[in-house]
Amino acid sequence: MLETHAVSLIYRNGEGVTYAVNKVNVAVKHGEFLGLVGPSGSGKSSLLYLMSGLKDANEGDVTFEGNSYQAMRNGKLIDLRRTRYGFIFQQHFLINYLTVFENIMVGALEQSEAARKRARALIGELGLEARSNRLPWQLSIGQRQRVAIARALINEPAIVFADEPTASLDQTTGHQVVDLLAQYRGHGSIVFVTHDPEMLTQADRVIRMRDGEIVGEEKRNGKG
Ligand SMILES: Nc1ncnc2c1ncn2[C@@H]1O[C@H](COP(=O)(O)OP(=O)(O)O)[C@@H](O)[C@H]1O
Ligand SMILES: [Mg+2]
């Protein structure tokens, strides 16, 4: 569904260059939960930025359903990102003067009754019923991250990209967040970046990174 083709991201600093991602080939399969793990600085976030079109590749290309990101740089990639992808980061990026419900609706492509219905359903699935009209500061960090998940899922994305969404949470809360996100598998694919392999016990497949390269791959759950 999504494939990278010898894709690189290069940072130039001073006289040197760093290959944050070095000619990586990776494919995301339909509906799978793909984990990307590796130590800090191994290029996980950089690879996620390339895969999701948040950054342009310096070498290689990415295709989604056969369509090249290179060819979509004229605005089409922004549309693809908006309509087909969902994002969750370590920071929840909720708007502090909007309620839980309103924050989720911020992600919606249209402010339709269908979207409001979906927001209410997500609030239920994520156990936020009693918090629907609260403001972000009135929530625990784990609850805020659940709101961020709902916002990412509001348009039923083909792929959810999650970059260290559990890094600010304790183990128990982190596992709860992963478990909730993992339920989306099958409806869409999940690309989950973490430095903590503990968070990937649910993954169908785990790719290990080091120094901008893929150094290992493990299949789990008999799938992937
Ligand atoms: N904005 C930047 N400018 C220069 N180098 C960067 C920048 N962002 C990341 N890097 C470098 O790219 C490499 C990969 O970083 P990153 O993708 O953030 O890794 P990870 O997410 O695995 O911690 C590291 O060597 C990092 O120092
Ligand atoms: Mg990172």
Side-chain angles (χ1 to χ4, degrees):
M1 182 172 56
L2 184 145
E3 281 178 48
T4 72
H5 309 273
V7 82
S8 300
L9 185 66
I10 303 167
Y11 290 111
R12 286 164 224 282
N13 25 18
E15 57 266 36
V17 297
T18 306
Y19 270 76
V21 176
N22 194 353
K23 301 176 193 71
V24 165
N25 294 298
V26 56
V28 182
K29 291 163 197 164
H30 197 83
E32 78 170 331
F33 179 167
L34 174 64
L36 273 181
V37 72
S40 176
S42 58
K44 306 181 297 295
S45 293
S46 298
L47 181 57
L48 181 136
Y49 299 154
L50 292 179
M51 292 170 82
S52 60
L54 287 173
K55 279 190 193 277
D56 292 333
N58 299 101
E59 300 173 355
D61 198 1
V62 181
T63 53
F64 175 74
E65 293 176 345
N67 299 304
S68 146
Y69 282 15
Q70 291 258 13
M72 286 192 275
R73 280 187 189 178
N74 54 356
K76 286 211 178 89
L77 183 53
I78 295 170
D79 288 342
L80 171 70
R81 229 165 46 210
R82 234 165 41 87
T83 58
R84 306 300 304 280
Y85 297 165
F87 291 90
I88 307 166
F89 299 97
Q90 179 174 353
Q91 301 259 316
H92 52 73
F93 295 117
L94 299 178
I95 298 171
N96 60 25
Y97 55 84
L98 297 181
T99 66
V100 164
F101 183 81
E102 290 164 345
N103 264 289
I104 296 170
M105 287 300 292
V106 164
L109 287 170
E110 38 186 67
Q111 303 296 307
S112 61
E113 184 47 38
R116 281 189 287 275
K117 197 172 154 193
R118 170 128 179 94
R120 283 191 291 268
L122 283 165
I123 283 171
E125 285 165 30
L126 295 169
L128 294 164
E129 294 94 336
R131 305 283 185 288
S132 189
N133 295 314
R134 301 275 173 89
L135 296 167
W137 63 268
Q138 297 173 304
L139 307 177
S140 68
I141 324 178
Q143 287 165 344
R144 284 176 214 158
Q145 207 53 310
R146 282 189 263 155
V147 179
I149 292 176
R151 183 185 52 194
L153 300 183
I154 185 78
N155 303 314
E156 305 190 287
I159 308 179
V160 189
F161 293 96
D163 190 1
E164 303 267 10
T166 56
S168 304
L169 308 176
D170 61 62
Q171 285 288 117
T172 308
T173 314
H175 275 291
Q176 285 167 359
V177 163
V178 182
D179 291 351
L180 288 165
L181 186 56
Q183 289 176 14
Y184 191 64
R185 152 183 29 210
H187 304 279
S189 311
I190 301 162
V191 177
F192 192 105
V193 162
T194 179
H195 65 276
D196 180 3
E198 277 271 302
M199 290 297 151
L200 295 174
T201 50
Q202 291 235 27
D204 298 313
R205 198 154 60 96
V206 175
I207 286 173
R208 244 175 326 113
M209 286 192 79
R210 182 172 283 274
D211 297 335
E213 297 183 15
I214 291 177
V215 293
E217 176 176 337
E218 260 176 78
K219 289 186 169 72
R220 305 267 182 83
N221 299 341
K223 290 187 255 167

